[in-house]
Amino acid sequence: MGKGGQPRRAQAHDGELGAAVARAQDGDEAAFAVAYRLVQPRLLGYVRGLVGDDAEDVTSDAWLEIARDLGRFKGDGAGFRGWTATIARHRALDHLRRQRARPRPSALEQDVLGLPGPQSTHDQALEALSTERALELVAGLPRDQAEAVLLRVVVGLDGPAAARVLGKRPGAVRMAAYRGLKRLARQLGGESVTDETSRTVGESK
């Protein structure tokens, strides 16, 4: 079962998704369509946060690979979301390399350490992130924060699953997601939420 940061809507579909994937692996094309319908909106949002307007093309390439390699997948619905996010991320990074436009996080954003803040900041930012405006704001975050927020909020992965996609320690991903959500809460007008957290986690900017 997911932990606090995993959107409940994603969790609610994991049983249905896992069953659809299992049927699709047995050759049921209609079941693959069900899996696609359950995963695609969040996957597209994640890729849009990485590559912007080219997200549809990149996500289509990812689904070709997902369909080709479906027989190799082992896991449940939550695992399938993580697996598809990993494939989509690889396709997105390939696309960015081709465009020579891959943004790099600053050393400061990578190295700053702090303590997890109150859950209220996280929850309120999660609610706000359902909007297109919020996705635009996510694209302006340092890459480590943007990817952590997109995986946790848009794709709906829990901390360990997001860490596996990114190839990082869960603590580092949790901290990046927290810092990104805190920044987004401030940008979205949540100053009352961030007052307390600014005393909990020191900001260098």
Side-chain angles (χ1 to χ4, degrees), residues 92-191:
L93 295 183
D94 286 346
H95 175 80
L96 290 172
R97 276 192 285 271
R98 285 195 299 272
Q99 302 255 324
R100 300 188 180 192
R102 183 178 180 182
R104 302 183 61 84
S106 70
L108 177 66
E109 292 294 348
Q110 288 178 315
D111 296 340
V112 169
L113 298 177
L115 299 172
Q119 190 66 30
S120 60
T121 301
H122 207 256
D123 291 342
Q124 292 191 27
L126 293 184
E127 290 302 317
L129 279 167
S130 60
T131 65
E132 284 293 321
R133 167 66 178 147
L135 275 178
E136 292 172 12
L137 292 174
V138 170
L141 293 173
R143 171 161 290 279
D144 61 334
Q145 293 180 18
E147 287 209 70
V149 169
L150 287 165
L151 286 170
R152 294 294 302 277
V153 178
V154 179
V155 181
L157 301 184
D158 63 16
R164 285 192 294 273
V165 172
L166 297 174
K168 296 182 177 181
R169 296 186 320 279
V173 174
R174 187 167 55 247
M175 193 66 228
Y178 167 72
R179 289 178 61 81
L181 287 168
K182 182 181 174 187
R183 183 178 294 196
L184 288 172
R186 188 165 55 243
Q187 290 176 317
L188 290 164
E191 276 75 12

Side-chain angles (χ1 to χ4, degrees), residues 13 29 47 66 71 73 130 133 143 149 174 197 202 205:
H13 292 304
E29 291 185 10
V47 174
I66 291 162
F73 170 74
S130 60
R133 167 66 178 147
R143 171 161 290 279
V149 169
R174 187 167 55 247
T197 59
K205 308 189 188 183

Side-chain angles (χ1 to χ4, degrees), residues 9-70:
R9 281 171 298 181
Q11 274 187 325
H13 292 304
D14 278 348
E16 182 184 357
L17 177 58
V21 170
R23 292 197 308 274
Q25 288 179 312
D26 288 336
D28 185 337
E29 291 185 10
F32 185 82
V34 171
Y36 175 88
R37 176 177 56 79
L38 290 172
V39 171
Q40 169 65 358
R42 289 173 180 273
L43 197 65
L44 181 61
Y46 172 49
V47 174
R48 183 172 289 121
L50 298 178
V51 304
D53 291 340
D54 294 328
E56 295 271 4
D57 290 341
V58 171
T59 308
S60 293
D61 288 343
W63 277 106
L64 289 173
E65 184 172 340
I66 291 162
R68 185 193 71 200
D69 294 343
L70 185 64

